[in-house]
Every structure is written in structure tokens, then in C-alpha cells.
Amino acid sequence: MSKMEQVAEKSESLILLHNAVIITLNPQLHVFRDGGIAVEGDIIKSIGQSHHILSQFSHLPHSQFIDLHGQFILPGLINTHVHTSQQLGRGIADDVDLVTWLHHRIWPYESNMTPNDSYISTLLCGIELIHSGVTCFAEAGGQHVPEMARAVQLLGLRACLTESIMDTGEGLPASWAIRTTDHCMQSQKELYSKYNNTADGRIRIWFGIRQIMNSTDRLLLETRDAAQELKTGIHMHIAEIDYENHVVKDTRKVNYGTVTYLKKMKLLQSNLLAAHTVWVNEKEIQMLSDAGTKVSHCPASAMRMLGFAPIKEMMDAKVCVSLGTDGAPSNNRMSIVDEMYLASLINKGREVYSKGATDPTALPAETVLQMATINGAKSVLWDNEIGSLEVGKKADMIVVNPFSWTMVPFHDCISSLVYCMRSENVISVMCNGRWIMKDRKILNVDEEKVISMARSASAELLKRARIHIPSKMNFV
Ligand SMILES: [Zn+2]
């Protein structure tokens, strides 16, 4: 080991990044053209003009100086709806209808997962998340949470983990059909007591409700109360398809859909993260806003299976909307960078229905960037510590290299980040003050090894689940 490397290793506790364009996403939306940022331990100690930061700390021995030569620094991106368990199921449900997707692919797949499958699936998913600049994610509800937590701890990510919870429903796999409400609640409370606030505080445990069609009213109410008591969040798929609203009307004998029903159950609160929320009316949008309920918009997945979510209307009504990828069998790409681009395009195009023409001013770049950062932090109830680069917040940030054919030339760095950036432009990722990817190399796990484990685990799992994917062409 050279002398310089020794110094760098010792000085890990104070890192100074300088000569960078820093997009802070703070309340004033400050951008430093030639900025510097000092990180001590897991905290942002100082942020400002490069020369200020350098003069403030240059006298300190063992400081690690990194000249970024004009590259961009922004807060770590936050993916507020991702199914880590589904990563091994990428490609198992392309171009199929919704019933085939759920009953013949996803349920058999998830119900046949072993704990080790969950571990490998989360590692593989985490690698893709990190490459796309994500430092924090909200699990949508998956299998074998302890193994999920083990993978998150190793990867160095921050996450709100949630178990997949259903206590009723037709056509459920046999191993799930026997789960009682008590069992669902007990299991989640145990997970909370074992894993909440672990991995140096990077892991939090949330309650999950997969969707209203698979929940009894008792489950809804007990979840509401338990989350309130433990001061944590609830993650739930809400108003995904129009059929869901009809099922609520038929089974609950009411004349309204999911969102109104949840309001009457007093579940619509500020700790509820509503995924998708596509089939909502004007009144329900106002209900979401009044309650402070957060919405995770998953543009790719919505386009594939659900429909156009009224995102512009929600944002006009001051609903906090963030971005999610959904799972690999619904989207295939777990890149929040791609979702930023899609969110803007889809919501500009959707205006054709109300205005007769697309609206290029809908969801502008700065709004989309806020959705992927500070709104994400609010959605996971963590905005006091993450989502923007400010003194005293956790050091969760990414370095973007804009000097490549994907982004050059750039005149407005915010537009460039939303409309031009690809995952490949994200070169380094820091979470909780530690680098988890540097120069595009994932640091805490062996990427090649995970890919190899994932290929064999996925093949075995599909065999066990008897999932056959028919060929669409004549392979010879
Ligand atoms: Zn989902």
C-alpha cells in the first residue's frame, strides 16, 4: 500500500469534495456552480463555494480531498416503490394480460421463493438501484424480510422494508391462503422489533398491505393502529386498476372506490405511501392532499398495465408525489433515472386528453428532480435526514459525470439531468457517509458473483414454481 493510500484510509472520517456543480435540492433550490461539500462520518458538515470549504478545512490533517473537475453532485435518488423480491422474475411476464401476470406468473413465483432466493434477488436489485443513483428505497412488500435486510445491510443502502401482507383473496397459492390476520400482524411486529433501526440506522421496518382486494377490514384497521403506535409507515398498492374500485363497491357494499373507502376507515393519513393511485377522481385527489398521504408514481409500470395516473392534478392539489420503478416483472428496468425521463414525457403527453394537445410545460425538469429526491424523502418519512444536501443531514449523495456523449453539451444542468442522463452517467454513490459505488464499481458485493448466483437461482425457482414462458418466435 502506498503512502497516499494509507493517508486516505486513515482520513475516512472527513471527506472534502470540491470543484463540483452541487445541486442541493434545499428549500431555496440552491445550485453551487463551483461548490464544495465536507462529510464527517455519516453527516454533511459543510456545503458552499469550493474555496470556502477548502479554506475551512484545509488545515485539518487526514482530510481526504477529491477534485471533481466540474462533475455534478446531487442528493442520492429515492425509489419509493420497488419489489426487491421480484428481481429474479425479470422477464417472466412480458406482454401478458393482468390475470396471467398475477395468477400464473407472480404468485407462483413469489410463493416458491426460498429465503436464499430473497437474499440473492435483493442483492441483484440493489446493484441495479445503486447503478441508477439510488441511495434509499421503499420495498413495496416482499418475501423473507430478514434476508432482504441482510442484503441491504451488506450493500450499504438505506431502505424501508415491508413484508408482503395478504389475509384474504381468491386464487391465492396454498401456502399463502392459510395466513390469518393475527399471523400477518404478529409477523410484522416481530420484524419491526428485530430489524427496525438496524444497519447503522439505515434500515426501517414498515407495515404492508399488498392491496385492498387481498385484505380484510380487520387487517386494515389493525395495520393503521400498529403503524401509528410504532410511529412507522404503511406501504400499499392503491387504486391500481378500475376493477379494484368495482371490487370495493361489490364486496364492501358501498358506492365508492378504494381511496374514499380508506378515508372512511381513517387509513388515509400522512404515514400512508400509496403506490400507483391511477384510478382516483377529483374528490379523492383532494382527500389524498388533505390527509398528507404520499403517492408513488411508477410511470413505466403504469403505462404497461394500469393507465395514466393524474399526476399533474395531484401535484396541483399539493399531493406529495415521488417516483418508483415497481418490480422487475412490471417494468424490467429498475432505473429511477429512466423513470424521471418517462415521468416527464408521459405526463406531458397525457395532457392531450384534457387539452387536445400535449403540454410541454407539464412536469418540468426541476419538478421531476424534486420527485426523485426531496419528495421521495418525504414519502418515506425521512426528509429530516435525507432528500437534499444540507448541513446536518445524512451524507447520501451521488456523483454524475456529464462529460460524455449522453449529456454533452449541457446548458441547464437540471434539464440535462432529467432529459439526458443515463444510469451510466452515475459514477459514484455515497450512502450514510460511505462510498457504496466508486468509479462505477460496486464496492460491498462482488457484482459478477451476484449475477452468476442470480442466473442459477432464477432458473431453479421457475422450475419449482412450474412457470413456463412460451417462446414468441421459432427458436431452432
Ligand atoms: Zn408494486
Side-chain angles (χ1 to χ4, degrees), residues 238-254:
I238 291 178
E240 286 186 276
I241 47 174
D242 198 24
Y243 174 72
E244 179 187 315
N245 285 326
H246 290 292
V247 170
V248 169
K249 286 177 193 167
D250 289 348
T251 58
R252 263 85 175 184
K253 309 287 174 226
V254 292

Side-chain angles (χ1 to χ4, degrees), residues 81-83 86 101 140 210 235 237 240 275-276 298 301 326-327 330:
H81 187 75
V82 55
H83 295 255
Q86 292 181 355
W101 187 90
R210 195 77 182 237
H235 198 146
H237 294 86
E240 286 186 276
H276 304 303
C298 307
S301 162
D326 211 355
S330 320

Side-chain angles (χ1 to χ4, degrees), residues 452-473:
S452 154
M453 288 193 303
R455 291 181 66 185
S456 57
S458 174
E460 287 300 313
L461 173 51
L462 293 202
K463 237 189 268 172
R464 251 190 343 267
R466 295 170 195 254
I467 295 171
H468 173 66
I469 300 153
S471 302
K472 291 161 190 129
M473 291 208 182

